[in-house]
Amino acid sequence: MTGYRAGQTEIITIDANDGTTLYARVIKPSDFSPTKQYPVVVYVYNGPHVQLVTNSWLGGASLWMNYLAEMGYIVFTLDGRGSAHRGKEFEQAIHRRLGTLEIEDQLTGVKWLHSQPWVDRGRMGIHGWSYGGFMTTSLMLRTPGTFKAGVAGGPVIDWGLYEVMYTERYMDTPDENQDGYKTADLTGYVDRLQGKLLMIHGTDDDVVVMQHNMKFLKACIGKNVQVDFFAYPGHAHNVRGKERVHLMQKVIEYLQRNI
């Protein structure tokens, strides 16, 4: 880290709509001024088994987030209901309706950001991978206009295409929960897109299989909706190795260009 500056990382609490305490992380540039207004990038996961905000070095953030903050952005992350290490009730709140309460909690975080005088409300972007890709796409489509741009990596588009062990734990079977699966199927919202959306997928992804993005792209074509798409040949669910640098450069440049 010698020779690099890192901005201030804060862990804050925000109340959900039912009064549940949610933890969030705010990363500001090292030269942050409360008299300025900054664009915001929200990094999201908000799914089971994952906790992004931790009382640890950098608040659990990745170094690319500090790198982005030094470019003049606020980088924000909130662990909403459904995420890990908050107990059974906190996780099971999303049972049978994936992508519903999580959206509400992320919008609670957006509302807090909007209340800060140093936030440029008209310049907000969002990025996430896997469940975070599902959430990024959900927020871009189901809350149109909230974000100017989004980058969704390895996103679940239709839970009917995801692995049985995980999906039926949280959604029950498609026959038992037809409404839940239909509501969470993001192909039903493509015509609501406002702003720019980049979908990224590894060609060898055996976790969120490529059919998710193919189904999404086909729906966009059918509705004459323009989206961007990029594939990483030979990569599985996560892009690793030297190509990871290419990935993060693509994500950051896309957000910079569009927000």
Side-chain angles (χ1 to χ4, degrees), residues 134-156:
F134 165 65
M135 287 300 302
T136 294
T137 311
S138 296
L139 285 155
M140 289 296 295
L141 300 181
R142 297 179 64 183
T143 67
T146 303
F147 298 98
K148 286 191 71 176
V151 181
V156 174

Side-chain angles (χ1 to χ4, degrees), residues 14-15 31 72 92-93 105 130 138 141 144 164 171 175 221 229 240 245:
I14 303 173
D15 288 338
D31 60 354
Q92 284 198 330
D105 287 350
S130 193
S138 296
L141 300 181
V164 171
M171 289 287 277
D175 287 341
I221 294 165
F229 176 75
R240 302 188 186 278
V245 177

Side-chain angles (χ1 to χ4, degrees), residues 77-89:
T77 294
L78 179 141
D79 283 330
R81 284 169 288 181
S83 53
H85 305 305
R86 293 291 305 277
K88 182 178 179 181
E89 183 178 348

Side-chain angles (χ1 to χ4, degrees), residues 174-226:
D175 287 341
E176 294 169 324
N177 186 17
Q178 293 182 25
D179 288 344
Y181 279 82
K182 182 179 179 180
T183 299
D185 184 348
L186 299 180
T187 59
Y189 306 95
V190 294
D191 54 354
R192 299 180 62 187
L193 177 65
Q194 294 179 21
K196 301 290 288 184
L197 178 60
L198 170 61
M199 316 296 284
I200 302 177
H201 219 103
T203 61
D204 293 0
D205 194 334
D206 59 353
V207 178
V208 181
V209 293
M210 181 63 88
Q211 283 92 328
H212 286 270
N213 256 323
M214 295 298 100
K215 181 177 180 179
F216 185 79
L217 294 175
K218 187 174 181 180
C220 289
I221 294 165
K223 293 287 186 178
N224 195 30
V225 173
Q226 294 290 339

Side-chain angles (χ1 to χ4, degrees), residues 23-100:
Y23 293 96
R25 180 181 61 233
V26 184
I27 304 174
K28 299 175 182 176
S30 59
D31 60 354
F32 173 80
S33 170
T35 63
K36 284 184 172 182
Q37 285 197 326
Y38 297 87
V40 175
V41 171
V42 173
Y43 182 72
V44 62
Y45 188 87
N46 206 152
H49 312 298
V50 172
Q51 179 188 28
L52 295 180
V53 182
T54 59
N55 184 19
S56 61
W57 189 60
L58 301 178
S62 299
L63 284 171
W64 71 261
M65 299 178 191
N66 290 86
Y67 173 76
L68 184 58
E70 287 305 291
M71 293 182 175
Y73 292 83
I74 302 295
V75 184
F76 179 87
T77 294
L78 179 141
D79 283 330
R81 284 169 288 181
S83 53
H85 305 305
R86 293 291 305 277
K88 182 178 179 181
E89 183 178 348
F90 190 87
E91 182 181 34
Q92 284 198 330
I94 65 174
H95 183 227
R96 292 175 60 89
R97 46 180 183 161
L98 298 185
T100 300

